[in-house]
Amino acid sequence: MTRDGKYFVAMRAFHEVRSLPTAEQIRREDARNGGFVAPFPGTPGGLSQAAFQKATERYLAALTTKLDAEGRVGRLAPLDAVVKSIRVSQ
């Protein structure tokens, strides 16, 4: 998002990682969990908001490490820097 919240900037860079689940594996897991891939706050078996936030941060850190190690594109930080360097003018 731009600082003023008016625009969303996204970049597509294909980043194949064989150890991540396929869409079909995610659908099967979602079906097993009664419609939720993860137990969100406020759902049966869900975490508190604070615990969910910590779990999400741990997951994203682990995912970034995995993508950096296995992806063909290279590390994600330089790709993030490219997106952050975009200037939107009106």
Side-chain angles (χ1 to χ4, degrees), residues 7-42:
Y7 301 96
F8 175 78
V9 178
M11 179 177 93
R12 290 183 65 165
F14 295 99
H15 201 85
E16 180 183 340
V17 181
R18 291 188 180 106
S19 64
L20 293 178
T22 64
E24 180 56 35
Q25 290 169 324
I26 291 171
R27 280 191 290 276
R28 281 196 308 264
E29 181 67 22
D30 192 47
R32 263 197 306 273
N33 287 320
F36 301 102
V37 174
F40 295 104

Side-chain angles (χ1 to χ4, degrees), residues 1-10 83:
M1 293 292 293
T2 56
R3 286 188 180 112
D4 60 9
K6 291 183 179 181
Y7 301 96
F8 175 78
V9 178
V83 173

Side-chain angles (χ1 to χ4, degrees), residues 13-17 20 67-68 70-76 79:
F14 295 99
H15 201 85
E16 180 183 340
V17 181
L20 293 178
L67 290 173
D68 283 347
E70 297 181 32
R72 291 184 295 167
V73 176
R75 296 187 55 83
L76 293 180
L79 298 175

